[in-house]
Amino acid sequence: MPKTLAKLLLAAMLAIPMALAAAAELRIALAADVSSLDPHFLNIAPNINLSSHLFDTLVMSDANGRLVPGLAESWRAVDDTTWEFHLRRGVVFHDGSPLTADDVLFSLDRPAQLTTSPGPFTAYTRQIVAKRAIDDHTIELKTAQPYGPLPLDLSSIFIISKRAAEHARPEDFDSGRALVGTGPFRFAGFVRGDHIDLARNDAWWGGRAPWERVRFRIITAAAPRLAALLAGDVDVMESVPTPDVAHLQRNPRFTVAQRVSWRTIFWTVDQRPRPSPWVTGNDGRALERNPLADVRVRRAISMAIDRKTLVARTMEGLAVPASNIISPGVFGYDDALAVQAYDPAGAKRLLAEAGYPDGFRLTLHGPNNRYVNDERIVQTVAQYLSRIGIRTAVQTLPLSVYFGRARKGEFSVALLGWGSLAGDFALRTLVGTPDPKAGWGTWNWGAYGNPQADAEVRAALGSVDQAQREAHAKAGAALALGEEAVIPLHHQVATWALRKGLSYPGRIDEFTFAHQILPR
C-alpha cells in the first residue's frame, strides 16, 4: 500500500464518521477545473459536465451512449435535408417562464455568435442552413445536404432562455445573471477554481433529483481529492488515482464504479510544412524542414511505443490499447484496425529511411491535471522515443494554460484525449482538414489534411442509411490513421469512488451527473 494512502486511511479511520444526510446535500470532487459556466463558450468536458446539470439538450444520451429524448420528446427526418423536432409541453425554465421554439432557435444560433470562443460548438450547428418554428412546440431544421447524424449533433447544444441570455456575455453566465436553464438543478454560487453550488429544480420535467443541494468541489490534484473522500469532506470523487483503486475496492466504507470510457488518449503531431517549434537537430539548431511532416517519422514514433506495457504499468491496467480514435462499441469503431505492434528496431529503420539515422531532439507536451496519469504518460512515451534515437524532453502544463497554447499550434507533439459517440464526428473534428467556416478540424492541432479521408467522412455524415454511414466512417478512419494523422495510445477506464450507501451507473462519456447518483 502506498505510504500516502496508508496515512490518509489512518486519518479517515480516526475521523468521526459523518452520516449522509438523506436527500440533503451531495458533495462531489471534480478532477478538472470548470473554466466557464456559459454552455456555448468552450467545448470541453468539464464545462459540458457542469452545464448538463443546469441546462438540457433536445436529444440526450444515456449512460451507454444511446440517444434518448430530451427537451424534444420526438423527432423525425421529413426528407433527406429536413428534420422536425417536437418539444415537450409544460417545460419551464428556472425563472418559471415556459420553454418555446424561439428559445430553441436562439440557442442554435448563439454558438456562431461567440466569435472569441477558444473551442467553439459550431461543428454541431454549421450543417443547419435554415430553421423555423412551426408552432411553439415544433421546429423545422434544414441542412444543405443530406445529413443523418443531426440528432446526435443536437445532443451537444444546450438550450438556454432567450429572454435571460439574448444580450448576455460569457461573464454574465459566470455571475449567474444569465444562468437560466431547464435542467435538474439551479445555480446557487460559483467561486472560480474552488467550488460550484447548485440547488434542486423541483420543477424539472425529468423528475426531482434525489439531492436538495449539490456542491462540486474543484480538486484537480489526485492526492487531495482522495484525501477529501477519505476524510468525509466529499461523498463522491471522480478520476480515482490508479494506484488506489484496488485499495478502495477492498474498503467496506466505499464503493467503486468503473467503465471503459469513450475517451481515447492520443498524440497530435504537427504536420505543417515548416520547421516545427519544438524540434531541433541534435546540436540544438533549428532544422530546415519539419521531420514530423514525414509519415515515416510519425510511424516510427508510433512503433516505438509499447502500448501493452504502458497500459499495464503506467495505467496500472486501467486502460485498453488503442488502434482507433473512438472506443470499442462506439458507432464506427473498426475492428480491422490493429494496435500498432511495438517494434523499436523497425522504428529506427524508418527514421534512417526518412533521413534521420541519428534522430533529432523533440519536446513532448501534455497536461498535468486533465487525464488519468497524464503526466506519467508523457514521461513514459518520452523514454520510449529516446530509445530509438529521438532525444526527448517533457513539458507538462496545467489544463488552463495547455489547451490554449496547443490550439494555437505552439507544440510539436501534444497529448489529447477525446470522447465521441460516433466515428465520423470524431474524424471531422480531430483530423478533418481545418475549415473554420464549415466547422471542420476544430481540434486538429497537427493541421493534418487528406482530401480522400475528408470525402469519406462527408459521405458518412451525409448518409441517412446507418450501414452506409458506418462503412464510410471506417474508410475515412483507415485513410487517416494509415497516415498516422494522430497516434492513438489507449482508451481510458473511468473510475468513480463513492461513500457507502451511494450508487452510480458509470457513464461511457465519463461525466459525473449528480442527479444519477442515487442513495441505496
Side-chain angles (χ1 to χ4, degrees):
M1 179 184 296
K3 290 183 179 179
T4 300
L5 178 60
K7 292 179 180 179
L8 293 173
L9 284 171
L10 178 60
M13 288 187 290
L14 294 174
I16 298 174
M18 296 177 61
L20 285 172
E25 182 177 36
L26 182 70
R27 301 158 301 169
I28 301 172
L30 298 180
D33 199 1
V34 175
S35 60
S36 175
L37 300 188
D38 184 332
H40 299 148
F41 184 66
L42 180 56
N43 183 16
I44 59 173
N47 295 3
I48 295 170
N49 182 79
L50 193 282
S51 292
S52 299
H53 292 79
L54 297 162
F55 302 94
D56 296 309
T57 53
L58 290 176
V59 181
M60 295 181 173
S61 61
D62 65 14
N64 298 313
R66 296 186 297 257
L67 295 184
V68 295
L71 291 179
E73 61 183 2
S74 66
W75 55 89
R76 69 186 183 101
V78 178
D79 55 47
D80 284 352
T81 60
T82 307
W83 288 83
E84 194 173 86
F85 291 80
H86 297 275
L87 305 183
R88 294 181 184 275
R89 295 179 180 272
V91 176
V92 295
F93 286 100
H94 297 154
D95 62 2
S97 60
L99 169 75
T100 70
D102 283 344
D103 296 302
V104 175
L105 299 183
F106 170 77
S107 301
L108 296 179
D109 283 335
R110 188 169 180 268
Q113 298 167 4
L114 300 179
T115 56
T116 61
S117 168
F121 283 83
T122 48
Y124 307 119
T125 58
R126 289 285 176 87
Q127 286 69 37
I128 302 170
V129 296
K131 57 181 78 70
R132 72 185 181 100
I134 296 176
D135 56 44
D136 275 354
H137 294 91
T138 311
I139 62 168
E140 180 185 87
L141 305 178
K142 285 187 172 291
T143 57
Q145 291 87 32
Y147 188 68
L150 185 64
L152 180 55
D153 263 348
L154 297 185
S155 70
S156 296
I157 300 298
F158 292 102
I159 305 305
I160 64 178
S161 164
K162 179 179 179 180
R163 187 184 65 80
E166 189 165 17
H167 303 293
R169 300 166 298 176
E171 52 266 36
D172 293 323
F173 286 85
D174 292 346
S175 70
R177 188 185 71 81
L179 211 60
V180 179
T182 61
F185 294 94
R186 296 179 287 104
F187 175 75
F190 177 34
V191 177
R192 185 176 297 280
D194 188 81
H195 68 268
I196 301 129
D197 288 333
L198 306 180
R200 185 169 62 197
N201 173 21
D202 289 336
W204 188 44
W205 58 269
R208 292 175 58 181
W211 311 104
E212 294 177 4
R213 299 179 301 280
V214 176
R215 168 163 286 194
F216 289 101
R217 290 187 57 192
I218 298 167
I219 311 177
T220 58
R225 196 163 60 251
L226 178 62
L229 178 74
L230 294 172
D233 295 332
V234 299
D235 307 307
V236 180
M237 70 171 289
E238 59 181 17
S239 297
V240 178
T242 54
D244 302 321
V245 171
H247 304 299
L248 287 171
Q249 288 173 326
R250 292 193 297 266
N251 191 318
R253 295 179 56 234
F254 303 100
T255 59
V256 172
Q258 290 184 302
R259 181 68 178 266
V260 176
S261 83
W262 66 349
R263 189 176 307 282
T264 304
I265 305 297
F266 57 92
W267 291 107
T268 62
V269 185
D270 177 18
Q271 296 160 56
R272 297 170 179 84
R274 49 94 174 112
S276 195
W278 293 89
V279 178
T280 69
N282 289 322
D283 58 3
R285 297 180 182 178
L287 297 174
E288 292 184 2
R289 58 193 176 96
N290 176 13
L292 303 174
D294 190 319
V295 65
R296 293 169 296 184
V297 173
R298 301 196 298 274
R299 186 163 296 132
I301 290 173
S302 184
M303 293 168 66
I305 302 169
D306 185 348
R307 290 166 177 79
K308 290 183 180 179
T309 300
L310 184 148
V311 163
R313 296 182 181 175
T314 304
M315 297 303 296
E316 304 192 48
L318 295 179
V320 177
S323 60
N324 284 237
I325 58 174
I326 54 173
S327 293
V330 170
F331 180 84
Y333 182 87
D334 192 350
D335 290 312
L337 295 176
V339 174
Q340 174 64 61
Y342 176 50
D343 185 2
K348 290 180 180 179
R349 288 193 296 271
L350 276 179
L351 284 179
E353 183 182 318
Y356 304 95
D358 299 318
F360 48 84
R361 292 185 180 274
L362 168 68
T363 297
L364 298 180
H365 286 86
N368 55 25
N369 61 350
R370 178 62 189 101
Y371 311 121
V372 176
N373 294 346
D374 45 16
E375 189 166 24
R376 291 174 58 192
I377 292 167
V378 179
Q379 292 169 345
T380 299
V381 172
Q383 294 173 15
Y384 284 132
L385 298 189
S386 294
R387 294 174 189 171
I388 65 168
I390 299 177
R391 293 159 179 80
T392 309
V394 165
Q395 186 177 114
T396 60
L397 302 164
L399 183 68
S400 58
V401 177
Y402 176 73
F403 267 1
R405 293 185 59 185
R407 287 182 59 81
K408 294 177 183 177
E410 293 186 17
F411 304 141
S412 296
V413 179
L415 192 72
L416 179 59
W418 194 262
S420 178
L421 295 178
D424 43 9
F425 272 35
L427 291 166
R428 177 182 66 185
T429 301
L430 299 173
V431 300
T433 301
D435 182 354
K437 292 184 178 179
W440 279 59
T442 52
W443 288 79
N444 184 350
W445 290 350
Y448 169 81
N450 180 333
Q452 288 181 298
D454 289 346
E456 292 290 353
V457 176
R458 286 194 179 92
L461 294 170
S463 178
V464 294
D465 180 284
Q466 293 301 293
Q468 291 183 8
R469 179 186 167 198
E470 188 164 33
H472 285 298
K474 289 181 177 180
L479 287 167
L481 294 174
E483 294 185 327
E484 314 293 342
V486 296
I487 299 175
L489 290 179
H490 58 267
H491 308 298
Q492 187 169 280
V493 171
T495 305
W496 297 262
L498 308 91
R499 296 188 60 169
K500 184 179 180 180
L502 296 177
S503 65
Y504 190 59
R507 294 183 57 91
I508 191 174
D509 53 25
E510 295 189 4
F511 292 148
T512 305
F513 287 174
H515 45 295
Q516 293 181 0
I517 297 172
L518 303 177
R520 295 192 294 184

